[in-house]
Amino acid sequence: MPTARRSAAFDPMSPDLDLDALVQQTSNFEYVTRISCDTTETQGLEMFEKLILLHVILGGKPLVIEGFHKRLDEWTFTSGWLQDNHGKKYEQARNLSKQNNLTISIGHYLSNMCKLTNQWNRHNYRDRDRQRLYLKDIDCPQVWHDKLREVVPPSIFYLNDSTGDVGGPGSVDEQNPYAPGLRKGRGVARAGDLMSCLPPAMRADNLMCYIGHEGTYTPAHREMCASLGQNLMVETSGTLDLDGKPTKPGSSIWFMTESKDRHIVSEYWLSTLGHDIEIEAHFAQINAWKSAPFTTYVVEQKLGDFILIPPLAPHQVWNRGTRTMKVAWNRTTVETLELALDEALPRARMVGRDEQYKNKAMVYFALDRYSNLLKHVDHQKQSVADQQVVLDLKYSPKIRQLQKDFRRLFSLYTRILLSEALPHNPKEEKKIEYLPFDSNVTCSFCRCNIFNRFLTCPTCIVPLENGEQDTYDICLECYAMGRSCKCISGYRWVEQFRWQALMDKHESWRQQIIAFEGVLSEKSAQPFHMERQSMEKKSLAQVCQEQLKLRPWNDPSKPVPEPKLSKDADESQVNADGTVTVKKRKPQVIEKGHMKNHVTNYPEPIWKLGVCNCGRAYSYGSLFRAFDTMPLTVMEDPNWQCPHCRRICSCGKCRKVAGMQPFEPTGTVLGYDTRRVADPRSTESLVDFKQSNFEWVKKAGDDLPAGEETRRLSRRFDQAEVAKSQGAVLDEAHYVDESEDTPMTNGHVENESPTALAANDEIPIDPLLGGLPSNGALGRQPVRPAHTPTEDSALVNGAGREPPHRFVAPAAVMLDQRHLGGGFTTDANGIVFQYPDPTDPDPTVPQFAPPQVEQRPQASNGAEHGKKAKRGSLQSDFLDPNEANKQYHKEQVKRTLAEARRNNRYIIAEAAMSGKNLPLKLIVDRNRLAHITSQAPNLSMQPPIRKPNNIIVQSDYPSPSSQKKVPPNPLKRVRIEQDDEFSTRREKRKKSGQRSSLPEDPGIPPTKPSKFQEISSASEDEEAMDIDETTAEDRAPKPRQLPAYLARKSDIGDSEIPKELSSEPKQRPSRRKSTLTESAVTSRPSPNIGRPPSGSNAIDDPAEANRRAKLRAMQWDHEDSPEDESEPEVSPAEQPNGVNKQTPAPKKSNIARLQNTSSSVPSKTKATTPSSAPKSIFAKAKKVRIVAAEKPKTARHSLG
C-alpha cells in the first residue's frame, strides 16, 4: 500500500475568519515583508534587483510589492472587459469538490460567481458537497500581457531576455518599432528569465490567469522546477458589481514558508500530516500550520499586491470574496537551475511530475546565447578606438556578472555531459541511433524532458491512428532505478546531439572562460577528458550500459515463470511406532544467477541485488527503505560497502551483533503509486516505490504517537537552523557587487542581513511602511498582545507564560473536537475528510473515535521507545503535549456523559464514545406486534427524501445532441407540364414505327398524369430543384441527379443517357440484389400521385394507389424491355402467337440487372459522345427510363 496511516483531514476556512487576530495570537505566524512599488523609481532598478536576490532568492523569504493597482489600466483589468472580449472562450474549470474538470465558458463562469460565493456562510462552509469551481491555469489575454509589460519592472517580467540598461555598455542601435528610425538598445547583461534563451517553439507558456471565488484554493505545493514564482492580483470584487449587485470584497490568503525550511516542511507533511507535498493534493488546515515546527508567513493579497515566492518554498492559497483575478508567471535563473538539477528534478521524477521547463536544454541554449554576447563584447573592444568605451566594457558590473553566470552554467553543462559519457568504443558508438533534437522527447515513465541520450525499446512499439508510432523511451535516471517496460532489457541507445558536436561546444566555451578570467589556475575549467578521469565513480550512462547486460530480456507476451525456491529446512518423518525422526537435509545449491538477500535470507536474482566485496548481497528495495540508499548509489561506486561492513546494518541478525549501530531512516517515505501517471507498459523491477518505510521506522523506535517530535523532525530542524545562521551572502566567486560604497571584507558583504542593508539605504524600503523592527524582518510587523492562556492550549507551562516555540502537539489542535468521529470518507486523491455522517439518525450524540493504543517494542539498549532525550533547556519548558491532550479529552468525555445522563441518553452516549455496539432485545407480544405493524405508516406512499441539489453552475459547452438543427428552407409545390418532344419513349416509338397502347384500368380515367416540383424559396438554381413524386407525408428518397452538363447533353440529342441515377449507393452486384418492389418504385412513379379523386372509382387509399402503380410499372417494363441484353427488341407485330401482351412481370434477373445498371453510372464523369463511349454503357442506359416524362397516347396537349 502506498500509505498505511490515516492522513490529515481537509478543513475549509471560515468566511468570517479574522486573519489579524489569528496572526497576532499564533506564535509561529508572521506577516510577509511589504515594500511599495514606487521604490523602483526612487531607489533604482539595480537596488531593486539586489533586494530580490538577497531577500527572495538567496535568503529564501517571500516578499510583497504593493501598489501596482495604481498603475494598471482600470478599464482593461476588469471582469467586464474579460467577459466582453473573451466571454465565449471555453476553459477547463477545476471542480475542487469532485476533483474533476468542468468545461465552461469564461462569460458563464463570471456571470455565476455571485451564486457560487453566496452559497457559503459560517454554518455550511464545511459542506464538502457544494461546488468549488476554480478557473485556474488559463491563458493570459495578449492585451493584458502588453499592459503588464509597461507596468512591471522589466528585470522580473515574463520571458525577460536582458537586464541591461538602455544605451549601456555593449548596446547596439536597433529599429524603433514605434517610430521611423533607430533607437538605443539595451546593454549586454544576463537575462532575467533564462526561459527566453530557448527557441520560441521550446518555451513553456507559463503566463497564466487564476479566477476564483469564496472557498476555492490551491493545495500546498512548490513552484515547478525550483523556479521563482510571481503572482499579481489585477482585479478583485468590491461591495458592488458593475451591474449594481452586492458582492463581497475579494482577497487571497497565503500561507508561505521560506526555502531554508523546505526539508523540515517536507518531513512534517510526510510524518505528521500523512501527505506528500510533491503530489500537490492536500490543503493543510489552520491547526496544522499552528502546530508546525517552523515559521509560517501569512499574506492577505489584495488588489495590486505582487507576491514573490522563493524557490522550493512550499505555500498554499485560499480565495475569499466574490471574485479574485490574478496573473502569475515563473522565472528561471542560474540559482534556480542549480536547485532544479540537484533537488527539484529528482523529487519530481519519484512521483512522475511533468517537467515542462526543459532545464537541461535551457543550460545548453543559455550558454550558447551568453557565448555570443561575450563574443560581441570582445569584438567591440577590438573595433572601438575610444579607450573610455573599452574600459566601460571591461569593468561593467553587468558584463562581469554575465561572465560569472556563464561560468556557473558551464559547470552545470559539464555535469550533464559527464552523466551521459560512455567508455570510448567505436563499434558501440556506431550503433547509437541519431534523432535530431526538438525538445519533445520525454521519459515514458517519469515524464521528464530528455536532453540528449536515452534508451528506447525496439519491441514495445504501438502504431497510432495517424500513422505514427508510439515508442517506449526511458531516461537514464529511471532505468538506473529499475524502471522500464516489461521487456526490462534489450534497449537501443539514442542521442539527439552528435557527441562530438557537444564536445566541441564544451571546449569552445572553456576557452572563452579562460580568456575573460585571464588566469589559469587549479580552479579554472578543465578539459573534458581530464574531468572524466578525475571522476571516482561510474557515469550514469556507463551504469545503464552495464545494467543492460545484467538484466534479462523478457517477452511481454509471455508470463515470467516463478523462480524455484530452495528448501533449507530440516525434514520431519513420523515412524510406524509414532516416533518422529528428524532427517537433516543438506542445503540445496541455489539456482545459478541467484544469491541470498542478507535481510530476508531469500534467494533473488543477482541483477536485483547490490553485492558487496564481502560477499553479502542486499536487495535494492531494502537499501532504499531501510538505509536511504538509491540503486544508482550502489551501481556507480565500484568500491561500495554494504551496511554490514559499515557496521550500520539494522536487520534482525545484525542487531544482536556487538558494536553494530543500526541505521535509522532520516526521512519518511509514504510511497507513491506511479501507475496512474506512467505509461501502461511500464514496470518497476528493482524497487517497489509504492511501499513505505514505516516498518523500518518502527524498528528504529522513531514511530512516536501523534504530537511528539520525532528524531526525523529534530534532524531537519537542526539542518534548517544551520542554514539560516549562514545568512544571504554575495560571495565573490558568483556575484559582482555593483555598489561601490558597500564595504567588503574577505569577499563578503559586511551587512549581510537585509535589515542592515536597508538601514544603510542600500535596499529600497517604503518610508510609509514605518520603522524597521529589531528582529531582522523587513517592513511593518503587527504588535502581538500577550498570549492569554486557555484550557486547550498546549503551549502554556507551569508558570503561565508562553515558552519559546519549538513544537506543538498536533493531536491537541489538529482536529476540531466537535467533528471527531463519524464517517471517514476518502476522495479520488486519497484525501481523508473527517466529518459527521449526514445519515446519522441521532446527530446530537457526539461520535468519538476509540483511542488507539500502540504497542511499541523495546529498544536494544533497554530504554523505552517513545521517550525523547532532553535537548537542553528548550525542551524542559514544555508540558507533555500528549498528557495535555489526554486531560482535555477526558474532561470532554466527562461533560458529555453528564449531559447525556440528564437527558436519559447515557447508554447510547457511552456506547458511541467507547466504540461499542450495544445490542438490545425487546420482547413484544404477538398481538401487540400485529397492532404496531398495522399502525405503521406506508413507507412506499411517502415521497422519497431528496438531498438538496448543491450544483449551482453547470457546463454551458454545447453537446452534439443539444445542437439546434437548422430548419430546411420552405419548399413550394408547383405543377409542371410535360413535353412530348423530349420524351425518351417517344423517340423509341419513332424508331420502331409502332405505338403501344397501355392497358386501361376502369378505375383510372385516361388523363395525363400530373407532375409536381418542390422549389426552394432560398435557392434560384434550377439544377438543384428536387422533383417530388409522392405525397408530403410519405415521401420516398429521391434518386440522385446527373451532372448538369450531362443532363443538357441528353436534352439536346443523346436521349439514351439517363437523367437520373439510382438512389442506392454503388455496390457490387453480388452483395445486394434488388427486389421487384424496389425496382418498380425507383423506376416509375405512381400516376395517381397529385391527381384529385374523381367519381365513385376514386382511390382514397394511398396503399391501393401504390399497388396499382406497381402493377402498371411491371406491365410497362415487360412491354419495352427484352428478357436478355443479347436479344434484340421485337416489335409487337413480330411477336409469336400465343404471347399475351399483359404478361405479369419480367424475370427477376432482368430487373436486378436493370437496377445494377442504373447504379453503375458514375455521378462525375467526363462528357463523352456516344461514338467514343463504350457501347455497353449506352446499351445498359437504354433500360433506364424516366417514366414521368411519358404521356398516354390519348393525352396529347400542346404547350400553347
Side-chain angles (χ1 to χ4, degrees), residues 1063-1076:
S1063 60
E1064 296 292 334
K1066 184 177 180 180
Q1067 297 180 355
R1068 304 181 69 175
S1070 59
R1071 293 295 180 89
R1072 183 181 185 274
K1073 294 184 179 181
S1074 60
T1075 60
L1076 177 62

Side-chain angles (χ1 to χ4, degrees), residues 1014-1046:
E1014 285 190 352
I1015 302 177
S1016 175
S1017 59
S1019 176
E1020 297 181 357
D1021 188 2
E1022 296 181 358
E1023 297 177 358
M1025 295 181 182
D1026 295 330
I1027 300 177
D1028 181 72
E1029 301 172 351
T1030 59
T1031 61
E1033 292 77 13
D1034 187 17
R1035 189 160 41 246
K1038 311 299 183 300
R1040 295 176 294 165
Q1041 301 292 325
L1042 279 177
Y1045 67 92
L1046 285 180

Side-chain angles (χ1 to χ4, degrees), residues 351-353 444-447 672-680:
V351 298
R353 187 181 180 185
S444 299
F445 200 106
C446 69
R447 303 190 296 177
Y672 181 69
D673 191 358
T674 56
R675 289 178 295 182
R676 291 180 289 182
V677 296
D679 193 286

Side-chain angles (χ1 to χ4, degrees), residues 1029-1030 1036-1037 1039 1060 1062-1064 1072-1087 1089 1105-1118 1121 1144-1148 1150-1156 1158 1183-1188:
E1029 301 172 351
T1030 59
E1060 292 181 350
S1062 173
S1063 60
E1064 296 292 334
R1072 183 181 185 274
K1073 294 184 179 181
S1074 60
T1075 60
L1076 177 62
T1077 304
E1078 292 175 344
S1079 177
V1081 172
T1082 56
S1083 301
R1084 297 182 184 274
S1086 174
I1089 298 302
N1106 291 336
R1107 187 188 66 80
R1108 293 179 180 273
K1110 294 175 182 179
L1111 181 60
R1112 295 175 63 88
M1114 290 186 293
Q1115 294 171 353
W1116 291 340
D1117 194 276
H1118 175 70
S1121 300
K1147 292 183 178 181
K1148 184 177 179 180
N1150 293 340
I1151 299 177
R1153 191 181 303 110
L1154 178 62
Q1155 177 68 18
N1156 295 331
S1158 61
K1183 296 187 178 184
V1184 182
R1185 299 176 178 83
I1186 303 178
V1187 185

